[in-house]
């Protein structure tokens, strides 16, 4: 089998993106926020449509209607949790406050894996490339197992287990991602990731923050360079060529781009930031872009995706 | 109209090179697969998905139900021909494409208009709405609000207890009808100021009492401040000035902190100026009350004139003027009101003696 390099590119035009964001903002304000799910759908539709892999664009198929239903459900869940929390605090009775806060924290901890599961199923089902849909086939019970074990051990080890937790979670999620009959895999290792974080934290402190750019690069490389694609047993590797300089320069210039234009430059800055990560990615190996076959089913419940959005957790694929 | 593009059948990732014909009622797609089998696919233009954000040199069309079919055409004329051939087809209709069709200048104009609307809403619509809302609030709520602000303020001041009792007696003797529980307090401080809080608290500083000449002026001051309470000016004013800050705090996720914001701003509330309209309303209402109570309305005019004249020489201490702008116009307004209505008044011995007692207790 021949090996190839396939590039990933984010095109996108700042002016056009500015227009989309302005229209989104305008409609959202006029409708007192009700348009927000449609705005989010349009935003994703544009960004996916501008992302090219092996010469073809991605597509986002989610619709405002689907996301609105999820939005309402997510809002209701977050609202009920917030209500329990606020009412218990207002009661001024320490026993009730204790129960209320415990329910709130447990509720949040339960919601997050639910949201990740539902969010991935929806978002990936709504993502296609060359007409082939992605999908997530994870099992919610298994995810809960990894999640609560991870939270518990991370708390008991005062955060040390966090690195292993992070890797275990990524491995589980990746293992169940599909692009048609192509499977994803993540080969990261908890110990390596732990020492990477130790080194990064210590050097960042010693250099008064200067090392943080190299640290961010290392985390980026560790994430992408351990991500693999399996197509009929043939494995291809992602590779990130991001440098610390890229992170530094993009960060500084974006900062000025936003500040000196009083925020008008934000769409350009967002695109530049995404381009920095995406355009430095490539896939090396025997992957054959013409041999992917449709396998995944339709899935239209957007609650998880909207929950992730309301909890401010990003789905970065 | 014929074009060459790529066709994806929704089953595999192979892009078939296809001949694409834009015919009157449908798009016809012809391609040959890897097994040299010829295919003909027909697309009904009603089932083509909306084509937002199309790029001019590359058009991707999506068709039908899941799994979707696609065609991809990289040709500058294709977008234009699509529009010409199917002008009424639903896939063209998009608010976003309409915005983009206005070009860069259109975008800038829309952005400016948008910012304008935002600013107008923030500076006018929101305060206006808040004020309207405040007028519907029940008296109990106003009282609660006033009490929380009051307790914060008074903790920093020392109170003249004797005069507070006397001035409340004085106010009760005025016998003004009201739903509010009016409580006046005299603060030991030489600042020339007085203000009203929502729900019935009136705060009078010793400084302003010292400037007065007789009980008619005190009646005028209390009538004026009472009118601010009675007409809900204080509540409306707080709602108006804090509405924008409140809106921001609600938008950025902290809806619980409304009372906290009001209390935090308690000191600023003291300094809030009323609009000219509200001042005139309070003056007019105050005068009407004085008329009914048969107190000489010239007390109000004289109070204002004393404050105005004396303030010219001094810089500090005249806080009353910053919260109740005493322009010459307002004195003229009071004069006009007095001449307009036929006031009848008579001396009031009870008020006079209470007033004198208040003054004596100041001297200590």
């Amino acid at each position: 089998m021949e090996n190839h390099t396939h590039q990933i590119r984010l095109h996108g035009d700042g002016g056009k993106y500015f227009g989309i964001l302005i229209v989104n903002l305008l409609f959202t304000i006029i409708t007192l926020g009700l348009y927000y799910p449609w705005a989010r759908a349009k935003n994703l539709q544009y960004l996916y449509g501008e992302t090219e892999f092996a010469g073809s664009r991605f597509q986002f198929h989610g619709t405002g209607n689907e996301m609105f239903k999820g939005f309402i459900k997510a809002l209701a869940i977050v609202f009920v949790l917030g209500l329990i929390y606020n009412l218990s605090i207002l009661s001024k009775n320490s026993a009730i406050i204790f129960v209320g806060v415990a329910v709130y924290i447990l509720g949040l901890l339960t919601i997050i894996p639910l949201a990740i599961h539902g969010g991935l199923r929806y978002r990936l089902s709504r993502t296609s490339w060359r007409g082939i849909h992605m999908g997530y086939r994870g099992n919610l019970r298994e995810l809960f197992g990894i999640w609560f074990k991870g939270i518990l051990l991370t708390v008991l080890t005062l955060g040390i287990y966090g690195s292993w937790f992070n890797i275990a979670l990524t491995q589980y999620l990746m293992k169940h991602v599909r692009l048609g009959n192509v499977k994803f895999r993540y080969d990261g290792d908890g110990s390596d990731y732990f020492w990477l974080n130790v080194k990064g934290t210590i050097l960042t402190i010693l250099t008064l923050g200067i090392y943080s750019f190299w640290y961010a690069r290392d985390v980026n490389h560790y994430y992408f360079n351990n991500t693999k694609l399996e197509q009929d047993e043939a494995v291809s590797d992602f590779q990130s060529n991001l440098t610390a300089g890229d992170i530094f320069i993009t960060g500084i210039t974006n900062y000025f781009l936003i500040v000196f234009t009083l925020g008008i430059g934000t769409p350009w800055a967002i695109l530049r930031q995404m381009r920095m990560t995406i355009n430095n990615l490539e896939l090396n190996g025997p992957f054959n872009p013409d041999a992917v076959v449709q396998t995944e089913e339709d899935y239209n419940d957007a609650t998880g995706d909207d929950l992730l959005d309301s909890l401010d957790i990003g789905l970065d694929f | 109209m014929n074009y060459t593009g790529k066709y994806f059948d929704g089953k595999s990732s192979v892009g078939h090179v296809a001949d694409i014909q834009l015919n009157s009622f449908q798009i016809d797609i012809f391609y040959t697969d890897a097994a040299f089998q010829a295919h003909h696919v027909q697309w009904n233009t009603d089932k083509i998905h909306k084509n937002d954000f199309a790029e001019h040199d590359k058009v991707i069309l999506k068709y039908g139900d899941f799994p979707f079919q696609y065609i991809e055409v990289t040709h500058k004329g294709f977008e234009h021909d699509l529009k010409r051939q199917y002008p009424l087809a639903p896939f063209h209709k998009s608010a976003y494409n309409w915005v983009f069709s206005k070009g860069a200048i259109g975008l800038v104009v829309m952005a400016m208009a948008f910012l304008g609307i935002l600013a107008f809403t923030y500076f006018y619509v929101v305060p206006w709405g808040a004020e309207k809302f405040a007028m519907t609030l029940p008296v109990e709520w106003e009282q609660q609000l006033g009490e929380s602000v009051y307790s914060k303020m008074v903790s920093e001041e020392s109170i003249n207890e004797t005069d507070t009792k006397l001035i409340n007696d004085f106010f009760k003797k005025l016998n003004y009808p009201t739903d509010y529980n009016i409580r006046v307090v005299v603060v030991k401080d030489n600042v020339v100021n007085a203000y009203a809080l929502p729900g019935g608290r009136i705060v009078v500083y010793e400084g302003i009492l010292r400037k007065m000449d007789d009980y008619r002026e005190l009646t005028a001051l209390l009538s004026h401040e009472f009118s601010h309470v009675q007409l809900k000016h204080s509540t409306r004013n707080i709602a108006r000035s804090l509405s924008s800050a409140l809106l921001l705090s609600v938008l950025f996720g902290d809806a619980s902190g409304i009372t906290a914001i009001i209390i935090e701003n308690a000191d600023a509330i003291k300094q809030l100026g009323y609009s000219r309209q509200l001042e005139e309303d309070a003056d007019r209402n105050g005068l009407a009350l004085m008329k009914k109570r048969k107190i000489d309305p010239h007390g109000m005019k004289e109070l204002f004139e004393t404050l105005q004249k004396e303030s010219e020489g001094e810089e500090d201490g005249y806080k009353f003027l910053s919260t109740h702008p005493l322009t010459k116009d307002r004195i003229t307004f009071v004069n006009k009101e007095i001449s307009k209505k036929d006031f009848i008044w008579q001396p009031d011995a009870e008020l006079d003696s209470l007033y004198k007692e208040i003054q004596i207790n100041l001297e200590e």
Side-chain angles (χ1 to χ4, degrees):
Chain A
M1 258 181 279
E2 263 180 86
N3 282 353
H4 295 280
T5 294
H6 299 286
Q7 299 292 339
I8 305 176
R9 286 278 168 274
L10 176 67
H11 300 273
D13 168 54
K16 195 159 183 176
Y17 193 43
F18 175 79
I20 292 166
L21 293 186
I22 278 289
V23 177
N24 279 347
L25 200 62
L26 198 66
F27 286 178
T28 304
I29 287 179
I30 291 172
T31 59
L32 302 173
L34 284 182
Y35 186 74
Y36 181 68
W38 282 269
R40 223 155 72 74
K42 289 293 177 204
N43 182 33
L44 290 171
Q45 195 184 325
Y46 180 72
L47 293 175
Y48 279 48
E50 293 298 321
T51 309
E52 186 180 295
F53 168 58
S56 296
R57 303 292 179 97
F58 282 91
Q59 293 256 345
F60 180 70
H61 305 273
T63 64
N65 292 350
E66 289 167 357
M67 294 179 104
F68 179 69
K69 285 178 202 151
F71 176 63
I72 295 296
K73 285 189 217 165
L75 219 59
I77 293 171
V78 172
F79 177 76
V80 167
L81 271 185
L83 201 66
I84 291 173
Y85 178 81
N86 280 318
L87 286 181
S88 73
I89 297 285
L90 281 177
S91 77
K92 291 190 175 136
N93 174 329
S94 55
I96 296 179
I97 291 176
F98 179 77
V99 173
V101 171
V103 168
Y104 177 72
I105 292 174
L106 269 178
L108 271 187
L109 285 180
T110 314
I111 280 180
I112 293 171
L114 260 174
I116 292 175
H117 179 83
L120 275 174
R121 283 193 70 185
Y122 177 75
R123 180 71 73 84
L124 291 176
S125 158
R126 288 303 178 246
T127 305
S128 78
W129 174 81
R130 294 197 178 185
I132 305 299
H133 283 252
M134 295 188 76
Y136 173 71
R137 297 182 172 193
N139 175 300
L140 186 57
R141 195 176 300 167
E142 288 169 10
L143 182 64
F144 268 127
I146 293 169
W147 177 261
F148 282 109
K149 179 189 157 206
I151 297 276
L152 195 69
L153 287 178
T154 304
V155 171
L156 289 180
T157 58
L158 305 174
I160 291 173
Y161 185 73
S163 297
W164 281 268
F165 178 30
N166 198 327
I167 295 296
L169 195 62
T170 313
Q171 265 178 4
Y172 184 80
L173 299 177
M174 276 300 189
K175 195 167 79 186
H176 294 93
V177 172
R178 299 281 184 279
L179 168 64
N181 62 339
V182 173
K183 296 177 185 173
F184 283 67
R185 199 177 81 199
Y186 185 66
D187 286 351
D189 174 79
S191 313
D192 293 349
Y193 188 58
F194 174 72
W195 289 114
L196 186 155
N197 282 322
V198 169
K199 180 186 153 201
T201 310
I202 291 174
L203 286 179
T204 300
I205 294 169
L206 287 182
T207 58
L208 305 174
I210 295 170
Y211 189 75
S212 62
F213 302 104
W214 281 264
Y215 182 22
R217 175 205 63 187
D218 289 347
V219 170
N220 171 285
H221 283 194
Y222 199 75
Y223 184 73
F224 286 109
N225 295 355
N226 282 307
T227 303
K228 315 284 174 191
L229 275 193
E230 289 178 23
Q231 184 182 36
D232 304 325
E233 314 297 312
V235 179
S236 305
D237 308 303
F238 279 100
Q239 188 189 321
S240 170
N241 300 317
L242 184 71
T243 65
D246 291 337
I247 300 175
F248 176 71
I249 300 283
T250 312
I252 290 280
T253 47
N254 273 350
Y255 175 78
F256 287 116
L257 188 54
I258 293 174
V259 169
F260 284 126
T261 59
L262 304 174
I264 290 175
T266 309
W268 282 265
I270 294 174
L271 286 178
R272 295 183 71 231
Q273 190 71 27
M274 294 179 67
R275 230 176 253 139
M276 176 188 88
T277 309
I278 292 174
N279 290 6
N280 275 309
L281 274 180
E282 57 187 39
L283 181 74
N284 299 316
F287 175 76
N288 178 359
D290 286 336
V292 188
V293 179
Q294 189 85 279
T295 59
E296 300 307 296
E297 285 170 7
D298 205 14
Y299 182 79
N300 62 11
D301 183 353
T303 314
D305 198 58
D306 284 298
L307 261 177
L308 288 177
D309 184 57
S310 64
L311 298 172
D312 216 6
I313 301 173
L315 275 184
D316 301 317
F317 271 94
Chain B
M1 280 165 271
N2 277 24
Y3 285 93
T4 303
K6 271 194 178 164
Y7 171 73
F8 295 94
D9 61 5
K11 294 178 193 111
S12 91
S13 62
V14 180
H16 301 284
V17 176
D19 177 31
I20 295 162
Q21 299 180 359
L22 305 183
N23 293 320
S24 313
F25 299 105
Q26 81 273 344
I27 297 179
D28 288 291
I29 300 156
F30 299 93
Y31 69 93
T32 310
D33 66 17
F36 301 107
Q37 179 100 35
H39 294 266
H40 173 204
V41 181
Q42 274 195 353
W43 278 17
N44 173 348
T45 51
D46 287 345
K47 285 168 112 183
I48 297 176
H49 291 247
K50 218 166 238 171
N51 181 30
D52 279 324
F53 324 140
E55 277 175 33
H56 297 300
D57 50 351
K58 183 169 199 165
V59 176
I60 299 174
L61 292 180
K62 167 178 159 189
Y63 183 79
D65 302 321
F66 183 90
F68 309 103
Q69 305 166 45
Y70 289 92
I71 53 174
E72 204 179 289
V73 179
T74 310
H75 191 289
K76 280 226 183 322
F78 187 66
E79 191 198 18
H80 178 254
D81 279 353
L82 263 180
K83 265 192 197 136
R84 213 176 53 180
Q85 185 74 337
Y86 313 111
L88 300 174
F91 68 88
H92 291 307
K93 287 184 191 123
S94 151
Y96 291 83
N97 287 347
W98 177 81
V99 171
F100 301 141
S101 68
K102 303 294 160 210
I105 294 171
L107 268 183
V108 171
V109 170
M110 268 179 261
M112 300 300 263
F114 174 73
L115 286 178
I117 292 170
L118 220 58
F120 181 75
T121 308
Y122 186 80
F123 290 112
Y124 294 98
V125 178
V126 169
W128 176 83
E131 201 181 321
K132 287 277 169 280
F133 173 72
M135 287 173 84
T136 69
L137 288 171
V139 170
E140 293 75 40
W141 200 91
E142 281 188 85
Q143 246 160 19
Q144 228 174 20
L145 170 67
E147 284 313 304
S148 45
V149 176
Y150 175 77
S151 56
K152 164 110 196 291
M153 286 178 174
V154 162
S155 63
E156 295 155 13
E157 317 266 22
S158 72
I159 291 170
N160 183 334
E161 302 284 355
T162 325
D163 266 356
T164 296
K165 196 189 159 302
L166 290 168
I167 206 167
N168 277 297
D169 291 343
F170 185 98
F171 184 78
K172 287 209 180 75
K173 285 267 171 328
L174 292 174
N175 225 353
Y176 291 158
T178 178
D179 289 339
Y180 291 95
N181 176 17
I182 303 290
R183 282 152 302 164
V184 192
V185 67
V186 177
V187 171
K188 284 185 185 165
D189 192 322
N190 237 358
V191 177
V192 181
N193 196 13
Y195 58 87
L197 289 174
R201 290 278 189 185
I202 294 172
V203 180
V204 179
Y205 287 81
E206 287 190 347
I208 198 166
L209 293 172
R210 288 208 168 88
K211 294 287 171 201
M212 290 178 181
D213 297 320
D214 56 46
Y215 77 89
R216 300 170 312 149
E217 293 186 14
L218 179 57
T219 310
L221 178 74
L222 291 176
S223 307
H224 176 93
E225 296 300 342
F226 168 72
S227 299
H228 279 319
V229 174
Q230 184 69 21
L231 304 175
K232 295 181 189 281
H233 287 174
S234 321
T235 313
R236 284 158 67 185
N237 217 25
I238 290 180
R240 174 173 271 280
S241 355
L242 295 184
S243 60
S244 304
L246 284 177
L247 178 75
L248 286 185
S249 87
V250 169
L251 283 184
F252 293 106
D254 180 25
S256 59
I258 292 180
T259 326
I261 288 190
I262 294 171
I263 295 172
E264 269 168 38
N265 288 283
D267 286 324
I269 286 164
K270 250 193 305 197
Q271 313 292 339
L272 281 182
Y274 292 102
S275 73
R276 178 137 172 238
Q277 187 57 48
L278 292 187
E279 286 300 345
E280 281 191 6
D281 287 351
D283 289 345
R284 189 185 296 115
N285 193 64
L287 285 169
L289 289 167
M290 289 172 80
K291 180 189 171 198
K292 227 179 225 166
R293 188 61 181 69
K294 298 202 168 73
I295 311 271
D296 182 3
H298 294 90
M300 189 170 286
K301 184 188 140 203
E302 282 159 27
L303 173 71
F304 290 170
E305 279 171 353
T306 320
L307 293 173
Q308 174 84 332
K309 198 161 62 191
E310 297 217 10
S311 75
E312 280 161 12
E314 298 185 39
E315 288 140 26
D316 288 330
Y318 278 83
K319 290 281 170 51
F320 189 82
L321 297 183
S322 63
T323 54
H324 302 66
L326 264 179
T327 57
K328 284 222 172 73
D329 288 351
R330 245 182 90 203
I331 297 174
T332 323
F333 171 79
V334 170
N335 268 330
K336 216 191 254 168
E337 284 290 304
I338 293 174
S339 63
K340 213 158 58 183
K341 291 174 186 140
D342 30 344
F343 283 87
I344 305 166
W345 59 86
Q346 56 198 39
D348 192 311
E350 272 185 313
L351 290 180
D352 188 41
S353 78
L354 276 170
Y355 171 80
K356 281 179 178 141
E357 244 185 290
I358 292 171
Q359 288 296 341
I360 289 165
N361 278 301
L362 290 178
E363 304 301 324
E364 280 172 13

